[in-house]
Amino acid sequence: MKVKKLIAIAFLLIPFFTFSQNKFTISGYVKDSLSGETLIGSTVSVVGESKGITSNQFGFYSITLPAGTYNFICSYVGYVPQIKTIELNKNVEYNFEVVPKVTTEEAVIISSKKRDANVKNAQMGKIDLSINEVKSIPAFLGEIDILKTIQLLPGVQSAGEGSSGLYVRGGGPDQNLILLDDAVVYNTGHLFGFFSIFNGDAIKNTSLIKGGMPAQYGGRLSSVLDISMKEGNDKKFVTQGGIGLIASRFSIEGPIKKNRASFIISARRTYIDALAKPFIKKSSSFYGSGYYFYDLNAKVNYKFSEKDRIYLSGYFGKDKFDFVNGKQSLKVNIPWGNSTGTLRYNHVFNNRLFSNTTVVYNDYNFNFGANQNNFQINLLSGIKDWNIKEDFDLYPFTNHKLKFGALYTYHTFTPSVVSGRQDSVQFKPNNAQQKYAHEAAVYIQDDWDVSDKIKINAGIRESGFQQIGTYKTYTTDANGNRIDSSIYKKGQPVITYFGFEPRFTIRYAINDETSVKAAITRNLEYIHLVSNAGTTLPTDLWVPSTLKVKPQESWLYALGLFKNFNDNTYETSVEVYYKQLKNQIEYEEGYTPATLEDTENFFTFGKGWSYGTELFINKTKGRLTGWIGYTLSWTFRKFHGLNSGEKYYAKYDRRHDVSVVGIFELARKWKLSGTFVFGTGNAATLPQRFYIFDGVLTQEYSRINEYRLPSYSRLDLGAIYTPNKHPKAKLKSEWVFSVYNAYSRKNPYCIYFDQEGSPYDGTLKVQAKQVSLFPIIPSVTWNFKF
């Protein structure tokens, strides 16, 4: 294995062993001319030639060419291309400042990514979403939601009615690496998953990678959702926000020192508690119940020079749910939330080498507390991380972009600590309250233009994970009684796992409008989300790999045909994939969360696999834009301890998944939009036999996920009205109207069995009933900016 690794590394480095002294480099940043925001993924190329590069996540670019005079063109979706003639007889630093097309008389082009990217790039399964596009799509209760938009893409499935959870190509909700300014987000949902935590006013860029994951990303099996926050306008102060039916948001950004330092603060809060309070009388047994969530995004940056810049950003969000039942003397309190902090330092060593140093703090916690009479119970779970990462971008030649780096994370897990009290008697947890671990990785990758026809993105990643003490494990007899124990002291190694993760993607260009791509990737995941319900509820537990729990592993194979039509007006692709999964984790049959034992004693392990085909048709130009996505897929799981050891469909197996999105510029004042979704019903485990035993109605369940819920479909409609304003008016506003579930489809959320009558007099009836959450829901939001 070591020989193979050395060969792989040598293969990546061969192109860099020689260097011509007759070449010079142009480098710099690409920025928005109005706000000073750097533009991620913009293209800088030579007019009339294929030589070019895309800017990195901080807007930096670098191109090395033979000496001469060149016409460089800088382009980015929604901006006027800028052409600059530069003589390269020495190294040159030049910042492109491009003008948004909305400030010109040219027609605005709405697109989710730069033109030709789907055909030209080697990367597979990557989609960049502009926040303007997200804001144009009908929103549930008027709340702009990035994750809801991601669910409309092929290969991505929603976790259920109204939920913001994601299932990507047969993977579970924990197998998606979701980053906010490089900080891992462990729980993405507000209101038990009906809204995501991402405030659209604070978001700058969103990239989804669902196939051919680059080597810089790791620790997850299925996808990467990389979200970047705005840096703040360094030209002028801007205030914006929105007032909706259930929540309002407010943002302010501006320069601390013009063209050198800027900030942004964005806040959002729901007022469901305030709206509901007048309807709950003090005499009601439910008086005191309520729910609200809030979140706050903040970011500040300072540019010391063109070579040095520092960023500090954070996210703070919390949900709080209180339930009171006075008749039963019951009080329930459930708070949960995320806190993240990211400190980044950019340094340009020279015109070819860019570095980014990142330090991240992340804390997610969930609490459940209940009191009834003299009985009290508390449940606590969460995960806390400290992370440091060093990334380098190296541009040795025009046809190479090398990225390499290393990262380290210190994890603290708090999985399901249960405690309680009955009168003066206290119940203390019998499980280890916390688990600790080190996680580290090094990587190198090369984006290599081999020729006009062939482009390769190849990389390798070496990762490791070590569980450390304090930790206690027990030896039990045949009856489960503890007979011995092993105790690991604080910081003492318990077990170490290593993994080699190769990544390889190749693109072959048939012509300027058509290409074929293939990818193979191996991924390891050292932490696990264990769910008793199969959804991303906050009660799900994050647990580490331990002596008993091995890392998850996947191999993904993908092949795709990409073709554009009518001068890139229509982008189309067909991708097929096959994914193998090992060391999957579930609770064993009959488990209930009431036990005080360590939860890992109740896990069972197995494997899974998924395969399918994805079709994507995207119209990027004209008054009518949007896309059609279709996924045909199969997803299986197999556990020795579940379903009698036989394979079964995963909960998120969905045979057919269709989404249609349309955005139409009706007039200067009006923009119309609509989305239609259809999906095969979720797999479900239901009772299939009922019998009476000792006078009690007893039910016998089917095999796991043997049944299907009815199919799901929904039509959402939206409209944005922008009134005319005087050109010199500072306040700009718009009214956003939306209708969720326009034809009031009664989509299934769950099925339960209702019992009527008595078994003793022959009047017993058992009837299946369907629960549907949302009828037609209209909403209106007023957005403003000045």
Side-chain angles (χ1 to χ4, degrees):
M1 179 60 74
K2 290 183 178 181
V3 174
K4 291 182 179 179
K5 294 179 184 179
L6 291 174
I7 293 175
I9 294 172
F11 173 76
L12 287 174
L13 296 178
I14 283 174
F16 312 111
F17 289 159
T18 60
F19 176 71
S20 172
Q21 297 297 326
N22 297 321
K23 295 184 178 182
F24 298 98
T25 300
I26 177 174
S27 63
Y29 292 87
V30 181
K31 302 179 180 181
D32 183 309
S33 63
L34 300 184
S35 67
E37 289 271 359
T38 56
L39 299 179
I40 302 171
S42 53
T43 301
V44 180
S45 57
V46 178
V47 176
E49 299 184 29
S50 61
K51 298 181 178 66
I53 201 75
T54 57
S55 60
N56 68 8
Q57 68 181 112
F58 298 97
F60 181 82
Y61 77 94
S62 175
I63 303 177
T64 300
L65 296 167
T69 301
Y70 297 90
N71 292 321
F72 292 96
I73 181 170
C74 177
S75 59
Y76 190 72
V77 170
Y79 288 76
V80 179
Q82 183 184 125
I83 298 177
K84 179 69 175 179
T85 302
I86 295 178
E87 182 178 0
L88 276 186
N89 52 19
K90 61 179 181 178
N91 292 330
V92 175
E93 293 182 5
Y94 183 80
N95 295 332
F96 286 94
E97 294 196 0
V98 290
V99 180
K101 285 185 177 178
V102 292
T103 64
T104 71
E105 296 181 354
E106 299 185 36
V108 178
I109 299 175
I110 300 176
S111 175
S112 63
K113 49 187 164 185
K114 61 180 183 294
R115 290 168 290 174
D116 272 352
N118 62 321
V119 173
K120 300 294 186 182
N121 289 349
Q123 180 67 56
M124 278 190 76
K126 181 179 181 181
I127 297 178
D128 295 321
L129 282 175
S130 70
I131 194 63
N132 289 333
E133 192 171 26
V134 174
K135 290 182 177 181
S136 299
I137 295 174
F140 176 59
L141 288 172
E143 288 301 299
I144 300 164
D145 199 325
I146 292 173
L147 294 190
K148 292 289 196 333
T149 305
I150 294 292
Q151 291 173 358
L152 298 173
L153 300 172
V156 183
Q157 300 173 357
S158 66
E161 172 73 285
S163 175
S164 60
L166 302 178
Y167 300 128
V168 179
R169 289 185 170 179
D174 64 319
Q175 295 173 1
N176 306 306
L177 178 63
I178 301 179
L179 301 171
L180 179 62
D181 269 4
D182 274 340
V184 175
V185 178
Y186 286 103
N187 185 276
T188 59
H190 284 310
L191 190 57
F192 299 96
F194 291 117
F195 301 106
S196 78
I197 67 169
F198 303 110
N199 183 350
D201 290 345
I203 302 305
K204 172 182 175 180
N205 186 78
T206 302
S207 295
L208 173 71
I209 303 173
K210 54 190 174 72
M213 190 184 299
Q216 71 189 85
Y217 299 108
R220 299 295 187 274
L221 302 186
S222 292
S223 73
V224 176
L225 184 60
D226 197 344
I227 300 173
S228 300
M229 288 173 53
K230 290 180 180 178
E231 298 161 6
N233 194 313
D234 67 3
K235 308 287 186 181
K236 62 179 182 179
F237 285 94
V238 176
T239 301
Q240 64 178 330
I243 300 175
L245 293 181
I246 66 166
S248 292
R249 61 189 192 277
F250 180 82
S251 300
I252 183 170
E253 58 181 302
I256 299 174
K257 187 174 183 180
K258 197 171 183 179
N259 297 321
R260 184 171 289 271
S262 61
F263 76 96
I264 179 171
I265 299 174
S266 185
R268 178 176 58 163
R269 192 193 192 278
T270 184
Y271 27 75
I272 298 176
D273 54 338
L275 294 175
K277 191 172 183 178
F279 299 96
I280 304 177
K281 298 180 179 180
K282 290 185 177 181
S283 59
S284 171
S285 61
F286 300 105
Y287 183 78
S289 299
Y291 168 83
Y292 69 88
F293 72 76
Y294 69 85
D295 44 39
L296 174 69
N297 296 78
K299 190 170 185 177
V300 62
N301 72 91
Y302 184 82
K303 183 172 68 175
F304 298 95
S305 67
E306 288 298 323
K307 293 183 179 293
D308 298 279
R309 192 169 187 174
I310 192 169
Y311 304 81
L312 177 62
S313 61
Y315 167 82
F316 312 93
K318 193 170 186 177
D319 291 66
K320 193 172 187 301
F321 174 65
D322 294 304
F323 176 76
V324 176
N325 188 330
K327 290 183 179 180
Q328 299 180 2
S329 301
L330 175 65
K331 292 183 179 180
V332 177
N333 175 255
I334 310 177
W336 72 94
N338 299 275
S339 299
T340 71
T342 303
L343 177 64
R344 295 197 277 197
Y345 170 62
N346 291 172
H347 178 66
V348 181
F349 286 94
N350 54 53
N351 46 31
R352 298 186 189 187
L353 183 60
F354 177 96
S355 76
N356 175 54
T357 305
T358 307
V359 178
V360 176
Y361 169 78
N362 180 50
D363 185 16
Y364 165 70
N365 62 79
F366 168 80
N367 290 275
F368 174 89
N371 289 275
Q372 188 171 30
N373 298 322
N374 295 322
F375 178 76
Q376 176 182 325
I377 188 170
N378 294 282
L379 170 67
L380 171 67
S381 66
I383 181 172
K384 183 185 297 183
D385 292 342
W386 284 97
N387 173 281
I388 184 168
K389 184 171 68 166
E390 184 70 42
D391 298 298
F392 295 92
D393 290 298
L394 177 63
Y395 305 82
F397 305 108
T398 303
N399 56 343
H400 285 279
K401 180 180 178 181
L402 189 68
K403 194 174 185 70
F404 57 95
L407 63 91
Y408 164 77
T409 304
Y410 179 74
H411 296 288
T412 301
F413 298 85
T414 307
S416 190
V417 176
V418 181
S419 60
R421 177 180 57 82
Q422 176 71 53
D423 295 324
S424 60
V425 180
Q426 290 189 350
F427 306 97
K428 294 184 178 180
N430 197 27
N431 59 325
Q433 292 192 15
Q434 291 184 318
K435 295 185 174 73
Y436 308 89
H438 302 295
E439 184 173 358
V442 295
Y443 73 91
I444 182 171
Q445 68 182 34
D446 179 25
D447 202 357
W448 178 17
D449 290 329
V450 181
S451 66
D452 291 340
K453 295 284 188 181
I454 299 174
K455 189 170 185 177
I456 292 175
N457 187 304
I460 53 176
R461 182 183 180 92
E462 181 73 31
S463 60
F465 187 91
Q466 183 181 70
Q467 183 196 6
I468 59 173
T470 55
Y471 179 68
K472 182 184 291 187
T473 182
Y474 297 94
T475 303
T476 59
D477 60 21
N479 297 319
N481 299 314
R482 295 174 177 175
I483 58 177
D484 198 4
S485 65
S486 298
I487 299 176
Y488 296 87
K489 297 180 180 180
K490 184 177 180 179
Q492 182 180 354
V494 179
I495 190 170
T496 303
Y497 296 100
F498 288 104
F500 181 60
E501 304 176 55
R503 316 283 174 83
F504 183 83
T505 306
I506 185 170
R507 182 223 68 186
Y508 178 79
I510 299 174
N511 53 47
D512 288 341
E513 296 183 335
T514 311
S515 66
V516 177
K517 302 180 187 180
I520 178 172
T521 60
R522 181 177 189 255
N523 290 64
L524 292 173
E525 182 170 345
Y526 297 101
I527 64 176
H528 318 260
L529 182 69
V530 189
S531 172
N532 208 26
T535 60
T536 53
L537 294 174
T539 50
D540 298 343
L541 304 179
W542 287 98
V543 297
S545 295
T546 64
L547 281 171
K548 297 180 180 180
V549 182
K550 294 183 179 179
Q552 300 181 66
E553 176 187 341
S554 77
W555 280 96
L556 175 67
Y557 310 88
L559 179 67
L561 174 65
F562 300 78
K563 185 172 179 60
N564 290 358
F565 296 92
N566 193 17
D567 190 28
N568 301 313
T569 298
Y570 297 93
E571 301 175 345
T572 67
S573 64
V574 178
E575 295 185 55
V576 295
Y577 69 90
Y578 179 81
K579 180 188 291 183
Q580 293 177 314
L581 300 167
K582 293 183 179 179
N583 301 327
Q584 299 302 284
I585 184 172
E586 293 283 357
Y587 286 111
E588 64 183 22
E589 288 185 354
Y591 170 76
T592 58
T595 179
L596 296 180
E597 289 283 343
D598 193 329
T599 52
E600 70 176 29
N601 295 328
F602 301 93
F603 296 159
T604 184
F605 306 96
K607 61 181 180 179
W609 59 99
S610 178
Y611 51 89
T613 302
E614 300 167 3
L615 171 66
F616 189 51
I617 302 172
N618 186 22
K619 187 175 185 292
T620 64
K621 300 180 185 178
R623 294 174 65 188
L624 175 64
T625 59
W627 67 82
I628 299 174
Y630 170 68
T631 305
L632 172 68
S633 62
W634 289 260
T635 302
F636 298 94
R637 294 291 187 267
K638 187 175 182 180
F639 288 78
H640 177 73
L642 298 177
N643 207 48
S644 302
E646 297 182 6
K647 71 175 184 180
Y648 60 89
Y649 291 116
K651 175 182 174 62
Y652 28 92
D653 171 81
R654 198 168 302 165
R655 196 68 60 247
H656 305 282
D657 203 69
V658 181
S659 61
V660 181
V661 177
I663 303 170
F664 182 64
E665 298 277 354
L666 179 65
R668 187 170 185 176
K669 291 184 179 181
W670 285 97
K671 180 189 292 185
L672 307 180
S673 61
T675 61
F676 172 77
V677 296
F678 171 85
T680 302
N682 284 346
T685 306
L686 299 175
Q688 59 183 4
R689 294 183 182 88
F690 294 88
Y691 54 89
I692 299 171
F693 182 76
D694 286 340
V696 178
L697 181 67
T698 305
Q699 51 194 7
E700 180 180 322
Y701 279 85
S702 68
R703 291 183 178 273
I704 296 178
N705 294 338
E706 190 174 352
Y707 290 94
R708 291 276 175 183
L709 297 182
S711 61
Y712 181 97
S713 69
R714 193 186 75 244
L715 174 67
D716 302 335
L717 301 175
I720 300 177
Y721 173 70
T722 306
N724 285 333
K725 293 292 182 182
H726 191 277
K728 294 184 179 180
K730 293 184 177 181
L731 176 65
K732 298 179 181 179
S733 66
E734 63 182 17
W735 290 91
V736 181
F737 305 92
S738 64
V739 180
Y740 182 87
N741 196 11
Y743 54 82
S744 198
R745 161 86 173 183
K746 293 184 178 180
N747 286 302
Y749 184 74
C750 69
I751 291 178
Y752 72 96
F753 289 83
D754 190 30
Q755 175 184 342
E756 295 181 359
S758 170
Y760 297 105
D761 57 11
T763 61
L764 178 65
K765 292 182 180 180
V766 180
Q767 184 178 6
K769 293 187 178 181
Q770 174 181 303
V771 176
S772 300
L773 291 182
F774 302 115
I776 180 172
I777 302 178
S779 64
V780 60
T781 303
W782 179 61
N783 293 330
F784 60 88
K785 185 176 182 179
F786 59 87

